[in-house]
Amino acid sequence: MSSQKHAALLYTASRVGLFVVCFAVVWVLAYLHVIPLAVGASNTVWMLLLAIVISAPLSFVLLRKQRDAMSQQIVARVDRQKARLAANRSQEDGV
């Protein structure tokens, strides 16, 4: 239950971790001149964009379970809020 309770935090941390790993790999490949460096001072921006492009599809595939758990957590929270709102409305209508 605790992993379900903190599903959004786990998913967010996993996304950030995957991005950091992708950025590190891109940085090493650029340092070793396996991939070309960008022109001038845009090297860091180039590596960040490349890491984003690589990490996005990887997170879609690798973090499916965490994303589903987060989705269930959000749906449950929204359902509780709807029930609370409906209870408040019925209480106001009864008075």
Side-chain angles (χ1 to χ4, degrees):
M1 181 69 181
S2 71
S3 66
Q4 180 72 15
K5 188 175 182 180
H6 301 290
L9 182 62
L10 177 64
Y11 178 72
T12 303
S14 298
R15 284 285 310 254
V16 170
L18 186 60
F19 171 75
V20 168
V21 168
C22 288
F23 181 76
V25 168
V26 167
W27 185 81
V28 167
L29 290 175
Y31 180 76
L32 296 175
H33 301 289
V34 174
I35 58 174
L37 297 175
V39 178
S42 66
N43 186 32
T44 304
V45 174
W46 159 253
M47 290 191 301
L48 286 170
L49 289 174
L50 190 57
I52 289 171
V53 168
I54 293 169
S55 68
L58 285 175
S59 69
F60 184 74
V61 173
L62 297 175
L63 302 178
R64 183 170 308 210
K65 289 181 183 178
Q66 288 88 356
R67 187 174 53 253
D68 290 342
M70 181 183 68
S71 174
Q72 290 173 356
Q73 178 187 18
I74 291 171
V75 167
R77 187 175 300 157
V78 168
D79 288 343
R80 283 194 309 269
Q81 291 295 331
K82 284 182 181 180
R84 196 174 298 155
L85 182 62
N88 286 343
R89 282 185 183 165
S90 67
Q91 190 177 30
E92 288 175 2
D93 291 341
V95 174

